[in-house]
Amino acid sequence: MIAIRQARAEDWPALWPIIEPVFRAGETYAVAVDIEEADARTLWMDTPLRTFVAVNAADGTILGSYFLKFNQPGGGNHVCNCGYIVAADARGRGVASALCEHSQREAIALGFRAMQYNLVVATNTGAIRLWQRHGFDIAGRLPGAFRHPIEGEVDALVMYKRLVDLADR
Amino acid sequence: MIAIRQARAEDWPALWPIIEPVFRAGETYAVAVDIEEADARTLWMDTPLRTFVAVNAADGTILGSYFLKFNQPGGGNHVCNCGYIVAADARGRGVASALCEHSQREAIALGFRAMQYNLVVATNTGAIRLWQRHGFDIAGRLPGAFRHPIEGEVDALVMYKRLVDLADR
């Protein structure tokens, strides 16, 4: 069973070994591959509005995490942005789906009306299918907007989902 | 005649009266309409990689300005982002075009390979036509991603231009 709760400062030592290999690989996140741990911590734990962790309900082991933040200030601040990460040894068990669903409920509760992923790497087909299954549309395609360490310049997708119907005030 | 040069700290007192009404109106920029001058200055002058001003070559009057910054870090840092503003009394004289052309040359000189506008408000049809004329494509459309003070939730466009062909290394 997966439980999702807000991240606490003391989760970081368990979170960083999950996040670090993903950032260092540079294949899915637009983050410097040599980012310092302190900056990664700021990015994941401090800058966002909220950070959550998925844990194994039986033993509390962290299985994954997501952050939720404003995608833009001012007239764009009703749209949020999230980033998700699943521990390498916890993949294929529905953790990403659970995080995605939780993030949408949380976003609605916080008053957001849409969710946007600004840069989904086109080679990350598993993620794209997953977000589509959760109601996200490919709103745009940016030719060569991501430098993949192996593939070179690959397209990036902008994915978007209205959480609240446009007509609903 | 329009001349374009790098902005200097002492330009700010002349720039702010050009920028302030645009930010306060909240119709085209995703910036808090009540932004403090100091924060606006940071946003326009300090955070970007470069800031330029267009001046009347005869008397040095500032006619407009643009900033140029990384759109994303890491694997996305070969794509830049720019924001442009033209003084209300200098519109219709080709200042925005001159700034757009200058920004593309500058971006290429700095090593950028593409330029992206993340949030072009769909009601800002003049700007959309202008960017299209300068080679930008509408890469995506985000339903209701901008709250216009009069129109309510309106679509936002992601506009994008490759500055260097994808095949060129």
Side-chain angles (χ1 to χ4, degrees):
Chain A
M1 272 292 291
I2 300 165
I4 298 177
R5 60 163 175 79
Q6 268 200 261
R8 299 185 282 252
E10 57 266 32
D11 291 326
W12 181 251
L15 259 178
W16 177 231
I18 295 171
I19 294 170
E20 185 178 14
V22 175
F23 283 1
R24 299 279 178 250
E27 296 182 355
T28 52
Y29 268 85
V31 168
V33 295
D34 60 353
I35 190 170
E36 303 273 356
E37 179 180 345
D39 293 331
R41 186 189 162 123
T42 301
L43 179 159
W44 202 268
M45 302 287 281
D46 304 333
T47 312
L49 196 57
R50 295 279 190 281
T51 303
F52 287 86
V53 289
V55 299
N56 180 325
D59 63 8
T61 314
I62 295 180
L63 306 172
S65 178
Y66 80 88
F67 65 75
L68 188 159
K69 61 186 181 67
F70 293 101
N71 196 50
Q72 295 280 352
N77 73 1
H78 60 298
V79 180
C80 65
N81 167 251
C82 292
Y84 309 84
I85 250 167
V86 176
D89 57 7
R91 289 184 192 149
R93 288 157 51 183
V95 178
S97 277
L99 291 173
C100 183
E101 284 174 16
H102 189 278
S103 69
Q104 291 184 49
R105 286 194 302 273
E106 187 68 19
I108 292 166
L110 287 165
F112 288 104
R113 295 173 55 86
M115 190 180 289
Q116 181 171 335
Y117 306 147
N118 297 299
L119 200 160
V120 182
V121 183
T123 51
N124 194 3
T125 51
I128 295 165
R129 272 196 306 271
L130 186 67
W131 307 145
Q132 286 180 313
R133 209 153 61 226
H134 286 280
F136 285 78
D137 291 324
I138 296 175
R141 188 175 195 98
L142 306 162
F146 188 77
R147 288 194 323 287
H148 188 284
I150 298 156
E151 308 287 337
E153 285 185 20
V154 297
D155 294 352
L157 308 182
V158 180
M159 299 189 73
Y160 188 84
K161 181 181 181 177
R162 289 288 315 181
L163 301 171
V164 179
D165 200 82
L166 251 178
D168 294 342
R169 300 279 156 188
Chain B
M1 271 292 291
I2 299 166
I4 297 178
R5 61 161 174 81
Q6 269 199 261
R8 299 184 283 254
E10 58 266 32
D11 291 326
W12 182 251
L15 260 178
W16 177 232
I18 295 172
I19 294 171
E20 185 178 14
V22 175
F23 284 0
R24 299 278 178 251
E27 296 183 354
T28 53
Y29 269 84
V31 167
V33 294
D34 60 352
I35 190 170
E36 303 273 356
E37 179 179 345
D39 294 330
R41 188 190 161 123
T42 300
L43 179 160
W44 203 268
M45 302 287 281
D46 304 333
T47 311
L49 196 56
R50 295 278 189 283
T51 303
F52 287 85
V53 289
V55 298
N56 180 325
D59 63 9
T61 314
I62 295 181
L63 306 173
S65 178
Y66 80 88
F67 66 74
L68 188 158
K69 62 185 180 68
F70 294 101
N71 196 49
Q72 294 281 352
N77 73 3
H78 60 299
V79 180
C80 65
N81 168 251
C82 292
Y84 310 84
I85 250 166
V86 175
D89 57 6
R91 290 185 191 149
R93 287 156 52 181
V95 177
S97 277
L99 291 173
C100 183
E101 283 174 18
H102 190 277
S103 69
Q104 292 185 48
R105 287 194 300 274
E106 186 68 20
I108 292 167
L110 287 165
F112 287 104
R113 295 172 55 84
M115 190 180 288
Q116 180 172 335
Y117 305 147
N118 297 299
L119 200 161
V120 182
V121 182
T123 50
N124 194 3
T125 51
I128 295 165
R129 272 196 305 270
L130 186 68
W131 307 144
Q132 285 179 314
R133 208 153 63 224
H134 286 281
F136 285 78
D137 291 323
I138 297 174
R141 189 176 194 96
L142 306 162
F146 188 78
R147 288 195 323 287
H148 188 284
I150 297 155
E151 308 289 337
E153 285 184 20
V154 297
D155 295 352
L157 307 182
V158 180
M159 299 191 71
Y160 188 84
K161 181 181 181 176
R162 290 287 317 181
L163 301 172
V164 179
D165 199 81
L166 250 178
D168 295 342
R169 301 277 158 189

